[in-house]
Every structure is written in structure tokens, then in C-alpha cells.
């Protein structure tokens, strides 16, 4: 297990017992996932396909109300690098024997962790290695899943993928931003590729914390959208996760734009933890 995997496993272990802290965040995420799948499975006609949900970065499943989702989705596919977290998550919701919930563990959702884990701030890679990695991110390598799905969601995963670049290459490296942009683009392409035409893509990501914005912990909920705009103008957000830029990417990226329609950015919400708070945004789109 490389150090990126170790870090992710450690974080999942720390948040495994935090079910209550996720309550409002979980409600918001679950509502978004149900937004394009309004009919209950039992009410669907026999000639209609069973709707399938795929969640990338499901982890401990603390941000998913799985029983509620199973009322509308015939299958739920949970994907994560950490198989222990997935197993513990479905067991905590008493669904460890539910055949309609499939676990896909050990999947590196960028395919880059093995190479990134050998890099460090003190021992940066030679330029040719970074060029090779950038070339890899540009390839359309499909994830090993039986697609397509009615709904594909990336739930607070993108920030972790981009943080891996920060931890291994460092923010001062000349290729830090290009690699962040490449990893982000690759992840969005892979998510869209899993979605059937007419299906929904849901991107949920944290984009700033109270570490750099202390007022985030106490600001009134109705003031969050205005605060988010101020933070973006002040360049106070996680690199690569400006929510307004993410929304524009769906309309401007040469690969994404022809494949999705109706991108929508939702108002941000707050996600509390004992030591910090996060601002979270969500973008949905319909795949062509």
C-alpha cells in the first residue's frame, strides 16, 4: 500500500464514527442523487430499465442515505480505493447482505497513485516523468465498471485527488497547476463516460475550509453564497476547486461540452467537523 493509499485509509478510519456530523451534508447529497430519479423502483413498469447509481469515492458512506436511495435505484455501485471503509459503511447502514449494493474496492480513480506516491517535495521527479504523467491523464482510460449508469456521482472525492498532487509535488513546483488541471479533467471525463445518455452527473466537492476562512464556522446559512463569491474573488479556495470555474468547465472544455447539457451550480452549504468547517458546492449536469 503506497503512502497516498495509507493517507486515505487513515482519514476514513478517523471519520468512521462521524455519522451524526454528516447529517445535513448527507441530506443534501442524497436529495441531489434522487433529483433525476423520482420514481420508486416498485412503481416502474416492466419495460423500463432499472435505474443504477454509481458513487465514486463512497468511502465510509457517511454522506449517503443508502436505504433511501435503494427506494429509487435498483442497484447502487459504491467505488473507493479503501475496501475496508466501504464494507464498514454498508454494514453501519445494515446493508452488508443487500444484493443490490455492489462494492468496488481497490480502484485507483485516477490510475496515478502508484507514480505520485514516489514523488515528494524534497525529491521532485525529472521533467520527463511529469510529461509522461500528463500524457497519461489525457488518455481516456475507462474505469473497470459495468456502465452505463442512470446517475454517476463524485462525492467529496475531487478535493482528495487534487490534494494528492499537492502532497507529492508541492504547490511551488512549476508543473503543479498543470497537473492539478489534468487530474481534474481526467476525473470529470471518467465520470461522464460512466453515465448513460440522458442520465445525471452529480459533482459534490468541498472547496474551502475554516482554516483559511474562520468566519465559515459561524456565518449564517443564507449568507454562504455571498461569502463564497467573496472567497473566490480573494483567491481563497482549494486549488483547482473554484466552484464557478468548475461550472464553466462543463460548457467550455472541448471534451466535456459536447457530452453534457444543463450544467447547474447549486448554492453552497456548510459541513461541520469538530476541528474545522467546510464549504461544499454541487454541480449537476445531464449527459448526452
Amino acid at each position: 500500500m503506497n503512502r497516498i493509499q495509507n493517507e486515505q485509509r487513515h482519514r476514513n478510519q478517523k471519520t468512521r464514527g462521524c455519522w451524526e456530523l454528516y447529517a445535513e451534508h448527507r441530506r443534501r447529497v442524497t436529495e441531489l442523487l434522487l433529483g433525476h430519479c423520482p420514481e420508486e423502483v416498485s412503481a416502474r413498469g416492466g419495460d423500463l430499465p432499472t435505474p443504477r447509481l454509481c458513487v465514486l469515492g463512497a468511502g465510509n458512506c457517511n454522506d449517503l442515505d443508502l436505504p433511501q436511495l435503494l427506494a429509487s435505484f435498483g442497484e447502487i455501485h459504491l467505488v473507493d480505493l479503501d475496501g475496508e471503509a466501504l464494507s464498514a459503511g454498508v454494514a453501519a447502514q445494515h446493508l452488508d447482505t443487500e444484493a443490490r449494493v455492489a462494492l468496488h474496492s481497490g480502484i485507483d480513480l485516477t490510475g496515478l497513485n502508484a507514480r505520485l506516491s514516489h514523488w515528494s517535495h524534497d525529491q521532485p521527479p525529472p521533467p520527463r516523468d511529469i510529461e509522461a504523467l500528463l500524457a497519461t491523464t489525457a488518455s481516456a482510460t475507462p474505469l473497470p465498471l459495468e456502465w452505463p449508469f442512470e446517475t454517476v456521482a463524485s462525492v467529496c472525492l475531487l478535493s482528495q485527488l487534487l490534494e494528492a498532487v499537492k502532497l507529492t509535488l508541492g504547490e511551488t513546483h512549476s508543473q503543479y497547476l498543470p497537473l492539478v488541471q489534468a487530474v481534474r479533467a481526467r476525473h470529470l471525463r471518467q465520470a461522464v463516460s460512466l453515465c448513460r445518455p440522458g442520465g445525471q452527473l452529480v459533482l459534490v466537492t468541498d472547496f474551502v475550509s475554516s482554516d483559511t476562512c474562520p468566519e465559515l464556522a459561524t456565518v449564517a446559512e443564507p449568507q454562504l453564497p455571498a461569502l463564497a463569491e467573496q472567497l473566490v474573488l480573494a483567491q481563497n479556495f482549494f486549488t483547482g476547486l473554484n466552484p464557478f470555474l468548475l461550472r464553466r468547465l462543463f460548457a467550455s472544455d472541448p471534451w466535456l461540452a459536447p457530452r453534457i447539457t444543463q450544467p447547474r451550480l447549486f448554492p453552497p452549504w456548510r459541513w461541520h467537523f469538530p476541528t474545522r468547517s467546510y464549504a461544499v458546492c454541487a454541480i449537476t449536469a445531464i449527459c448526452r
Side-chain angles (χ1 to χ4, degrees):
M1 185 178 295
N2 63 48
R3 63 194 182 97
I4 295 176
Q5 290 174 292
N6 278 329
E7 176 63 22
Q8 187 54 48
R9 185 177 181 183
H10 175 65
R11 291 186 181 188
N12 284 333
Q13 289 172 340
K14 285 178 61 177
T15 58
R16 192 154 296 159
C18 296
W19 176 260
E20 293 302 325
L21 289 175
Y22 280 70
E24 177 60 15
H25 175 67
R26 179 170 56 251
R27 182 187 69 80
R28 302 257 194 166
V29 171
T30 301
E31 285 182 356
L32 284 168
L33 298 184
L34 293 172
H36 195 63
C37 190
E39 299 174 288
E40 292 189 357
V41 172
S42 59
R44 296 174 67 87
D47 57 338
L48 294 175
T50 299
R52 306 168 75 227
L53 166 66
C54 177
V55 181
L56 305 174
N60 292 313
C61 306
N62 283 335
D63 35 20
L64 305 170
D65 187 329
L66 294 175
Q68 186 177 352
L69 291 168
L70 278 172
S72 291
F73 290 98
E75 297 177 15
I76 298 177
H77 293 255
L78 304 173
V79 186
D80 203 273
L81 193 61
D82 187 351
E84 181 180 319
L86 289 178
S87 297
V90 296
Q93 298 191 50
H94 310 291
L95 293 171
D96 42 321
T97 60
E98 172 56 66
R100 293 185 295 149
V101 178
L103 308 185
H104 305 271
S105 63
I107 295 181
D108 176 1
L109 288 163
T110 61
L112 308 176
N113 281 348
R115 275 181 279 184
L116 284 174
S117 66
H118 294 297
W119 299 354
S120 70
H121 300 198
D122 298 329
Q123 295 182 322
R128 65 176 180 276
D129 287 357
I130 298 179
E131 291 171 6
L133 196 64
L134 286 169
T136 298
T137 63
S139 64
T141 305
L143 292 170
L145 301 167
E146 294 184 9
W147 50 275
F149 297 93
E150 178 82 20
T151 297
V152 176
S154 171
V155 181
C156 293
L157 170 64
L158 185 54
S159 59
Q160 298 175 39
L161 301 182
L162 300 188
E163 187 181 27
V165 180
K166 175 182 175 180
L167 292 174
T168 57
L169 196 60
E171 293 179 282
T172 61
H173 196 284
S174 62
Q175 291 295 85
Y176 169 64
L177 185 57
L179 190 53
V180 161
Q181 294 169 335
V183 169
R184 179 181 64 193
R186 179 181 175 90
H187 179 59
L188 296 177
R189 290 196 300 266
Q190 288 182 324
V192 170
S193 296
L194 293 172
C195 199
R196 74 162 180 82
Q200 178 182 230
L201 174 70
V202 179
L203 173 66
V204 178
T205 184
D206 46 321
F207 63 94
V208 67
S209 82
S210 55
D211 288 350
T212 61
C213 177
E215 59 266 43
L216 184 59
T218 56
V219 67
E221 193 80 16
Q223 301 304 314
L224 273 176
L227 178 60
E229 291 187 18
Q230 294 171 15
L231 293 173
V232 168
L233 287 173
Q235 298 291 301
N236 186 356
F237 52 84
F238 301 149
T239 301
L241 294 175
N242 175 344
F244 303 105
L245 176 59
L246 286 173
R247 161 64 180 79
R248 290 198 296 272
L249 273 178
F250 284 96
S252 62
D253 180 87
W255 192 95
L256 291 173
R259 292 171 172 82
I260 64 100
T261 185
Q262 302 176 38
R264 177 185 177 189
L265 174 63
F266 287 77
W269 65 86
R270 183 168 42 215
W271 183 16
H272 282 305
F273 273 85
T275 57
R276 64 176 57 89
S277 298
Y278 293 93
V280 180
C281 72
I283 299 171
T284 63
I286 305 300
C287 296
R288 298 182 189 273

